[in-house]
Amino acid sequence: MAMVPRLGHIAFLNVLPLTYALAHGAAEGLEVLRASPAQLNGRLEARNLDVSGVSSITYARHADDLLILPDVCIASDGDVRSVLLVSRIPAEQIGNARVLLSDKSASSHALLKIILRRAYDAAPQYETRALVPSDPVPEGAAGALFIGDDALEIYHNPPAGIYIYDLAQEWKRLTGARMVFGIWAAARAFAEAHPDALRMVHARIARAFRDWDSVKAAAITEVLADGRFTRAQLTEYLGSAVVWQLDEETRAGLRLFYQYAAEDGLIDRAPEIVCARV
């Protein structure tokens, strides 16, 4: 029986090119699990997946067991719109107040802590929990971190009297670099035991993003039915806000993120970025 690779897929609009490809043939011969980045992080760490889209910080914490797939990532060069700090007070006033963190994320937790400490001299009391756009900053909290489609909804429908900070723009202002929120990683054991399967999975992922321009209109049409976003909003978001190419400039931003995370005690050390041979 042929080996069936287990692929973890992030259930957010920021990877719509791959979502569309998987729905139109790219999932053939794969076992696909769709979940939030935080859920997929745990599954890959536990070796319940062979390849997965994961939070970039997950690689830093498990670099000895993982390899990064080349060419592809989830990044931004400035405003990303889908990773937001939503606050009742200006960030300069947060200090040691209570800040809630989305339970769907991991990289953005680290990013927010870096930005609040380095740019706003803040050391909040953090709490991770489920958050919903209808109650963006629950009672008793000064602010909340939203990611993914929930954050994008808040961006386009900002609540009255609330301060909104785009964390990719904050990172750009702090460092001048791109911010890499997600990567695709493979378990080293899987990569060593099944190099042909790894090449196949990588090729399908890379092709989905390479072919995006030719399928963009059709793919966006498929997700408009829920009425959450307009075509114009998604076309702009998936045309300029999200960067999917893991080139040298993007890798430099990832290395800087790891450096800052290590300096701030959020990871044990900044790992070397080791890509799988595909």
Side-chain angles (χ1 to χ4, degrees):
M1 181 180 296
M3 194 270 172
V4 178
R6 301 166 298 173
L7 173 66
H9 179 56
I10 296 170
F12 286 163
L13 285 169
N14 61 11
V15 289
L16 184 58
L18 182 54
T19 302
Y20 184 82
L22 290 171
H24 293 82
E28 183 178 349
L30 301 177
E31 180 184 329
V32 181
L33 171 67
R34 293 169 173 81
S36 73
Q39 292 168 324
L40 295 175
N41 298 344
R43 291 293 189 98
L44 186 60
E45 292 161 16
R47 301 193 181 181
N48 293 324
L49 293 168
D50 302 310
V51 178
S52 186
V54 292
S55 302
S56 58
I57 202 76
T58 292
Y59 174 78
R61 291 170 175 156
H62 302 276
D64 291 343
D65 299 319
L66 301 174
L67 294 168
I68 293 178
L69 268 60
D71 309 321
V72 288
C73 68
I74 305 166
S76 186
D77 191 12
D79 292 346
V80 73
R81 307 174 190 181
S82 54
V83 182
L84 305 177
L85 169 64
V86 185
S87 180
R88 296 181 187 274
I89 56 178
E92 293 86 351
Q93 298 176 16
I94 287 177
N96 63 355
R98 184 164 166 251
V99 172
L100 306 179
L101 305 174
S102 166
D103 63 359
K104 298 179 180 180
S105 175
S107 292
S108 300
H109 290 189
L111 177 62
L112 178 63
K113 291 173 182 178
I114 289 168
I115 288 169
L116 285 181
R117 188 180 87 80
R118 290 174 179 254
Y120 295 100
D121 195 26
Q125 304 168 55
Y126 292 106
E127 177 188 335
T128 301
R129 55 176 282 189
L131 297 168
V132 293
S134 59
D135 185 19
V137 188
E139 194 66 34
L145 169 68
F146 279 83
I147 71 163
D149 303 356
D150 290 345
L152 194 60
E153 181 178 332
I154 291 172
Y155 177 89
H156 286 296
N157 303 280
I162 293 291
Y163 297 85
I164 294 179
Y165 298 86
D166 184 310
L167 294 193
Q169 182 59 48
E170 292 288 319
W171 172 256
K172 184 75 172 180
R173 188 178 296 119
L174 180 67
T175 67
R178 289 181 174 179
M179 176 62 206
V180 181
F181 293 99
I183 49 130
W184 277 265
R188 284 181 184 252
F190 168 76
E192 292 167 3
H194 304 283
D196 291 341
L198 178 64
R199 276 190 288 272
M200 180 265 285
V201 174
H202 173 261
R204 292 189 188 182
I205 295 171
R207 182 175 180 179
F209 293 102
R210 192 169 59 245
D211 292 349
W212 173 237
D213 285 343
S214 64
V215 302
K216 182 191 297 185
I220 290 175
T221 296
E222 287 193 2
V223 299
L224 287 177
D226 66 6
R228 200 172 185 187
F229 305 103
T230 67
R231 179 179 293 278
Q233 288 167 350
L234 292 181
T235 300
E236 188 175 13
Y237 175 60
L238 297 167
S240 59
V242 184
V243 173
W244 294 302
Q245 183 64 36
L246 186 60
D247 55 17
E248 182 48 46
E249 182 181 358
T250 312
R251 284 195 295 273
L254 183 58
R255 282 192 290 269
L256 187 60
F257 175 52
Y258 289 156
Q259 176 189 325
Y260 280 17
E263 289 174 358
D264 289 5
L266 304 173
I267 55 177
D268 291 338
R269 59 183 174 85
E272 182 184 354
I273 296 174
V274 181
C275 290
R277 293 182 180 180
V278 292

